[in-house]
């Protein structure tokens, strides 16, 4: 039995909820996501265990395969975008497109994380398995993408509200 709700109603509801959050709350959420992303970048992304005289576990940080450097750079760019420094308006193209660059870096980093997870779970790197640092980075990226989408919704609603009616 359907209650009359459709996917379009759900999308409208999500947009309305996003617009109800204050910008300060959303920026704090995005900043916390970027701090978690930066903190997870050097942590253990892959682990392998070997049985023998004792169990030996070896871990590799995100910096070993260079993907951790991408996520750390994404976190730094995200924090710069969120802090909106005084010099940003004078930087030309990057000032106008800073949110797009940040979003693109987050999608690229998320694709790298998913690639690492699927590659290891498919058994391509046999002894290696995803470690908790990789999952932290992926969760921070998904949270950052959701916060960025919310900021975009808030910016678009402000633009609509500030636009004078046509005569």
């Amino acid at each position: 039995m359907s209650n009359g709700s459709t996917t379009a109603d759900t999308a409208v509801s999500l947009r309305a909820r996003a617009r109800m959050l204050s910008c300060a709350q959303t920026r704090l959420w995005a900043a916390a996501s970027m701090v978690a992303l930066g903190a997870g970048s050097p942590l253990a992304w892959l682990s392998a265990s070997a049985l023998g005289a004792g169990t030996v576990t070896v871990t590799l940080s995100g910096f070993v395969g260079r993907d951790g450097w991408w996520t750390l750079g994404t976190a730094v760019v995200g924090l710069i975008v969120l802090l909106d420094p005084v010099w940003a308006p004078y930087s030309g193209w990057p000032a106008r497109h800073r949110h797009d660059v940040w979003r693109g870096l987050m999608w690229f980093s998320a694709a790298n994380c998913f690639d690492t997870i699927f590659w290891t779970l498919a058994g391509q790197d046999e002894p290696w398995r995803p470690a908790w640092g990789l999952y932290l980075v992926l969760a921070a990226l998904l949270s950052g993408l959701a916060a960025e989408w919310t900021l975009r919704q808030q910016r678009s609603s402000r633009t609509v509200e500030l636009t004078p009616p046509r005569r």
Side-chain angles (χ1 to χ4, degrees):
M1 179 125 199
S2 174
N3 64 358
S5 175
T6 64
T7 306
D9 293 338
T10 305
V12 170
S13 173
L14 285 175
R15 283 189 184 100
R17 288 181 186 197
R19 290 175 180 156
M20 285 190 308
L21 282 173
S22 74
C23 281
Q25 289 173 322
T26 309
R27 291 171 88 69
L28 183 62
W29 167 25
S33 298
M34 292 302 101
V35 168
L37 178 61
S41 296
L43 297 178
W45 280 33
L46 298 174
S47 66
S49 297
L51 300 174
T55 302
V56 176
T57 302
V58 177
T59 60
L60 294 177
S61 98
F63 291 155
V64 172
R66 293 193 203 107
D67 291 341
W69 290 107
W70 277 107
T71 57
L72 183 62
T74 301
V76 169
V77 168
L79 288 172
I80 289 173
V81 166
L82 291 168
L83 293 175
D84 204 11
V86 175
W87 51 264
Y90 301 107
S91 62
W93 184 88
R96 290 188 305 277
H97 300 285
R98 63 186 178 271
H99 289 277
D100 299 329
V101 169
W102 178 37
R103 184 174 50 252
L105 282 172
M106 283 193 288
W107 278 113
F108 179 77
S109 296
N112 279 336
C113 289
F114 278 121
D115 180 54
T116 302
I117 290 171
F118 292 139
W119 185 261
T120 55
L121 290 179
Q124 301 299 322
D125 289 337
E126 186 48 48
W128 297 103
R129 293 287 168 238
W132 64 276
L134 181 59
Y135 293 120
L136 172 67
V137 164
L138 186 59
L141 280 166
L142 295 176
S143 177
L145 283 165
E148 195 278 331
W149 178 84
T150 304
L151 284 170
R152 233 178 327 133
Q153 296 305 311
Q154 291 170 346
R155 279 195 314 273
S156 71
S157 72
R158 260 197 327 250
T159 317
V160 169
E161 291 170 3
L162 297 176
T163 306
R166 292 184 185 166
R167 296 180 190 230

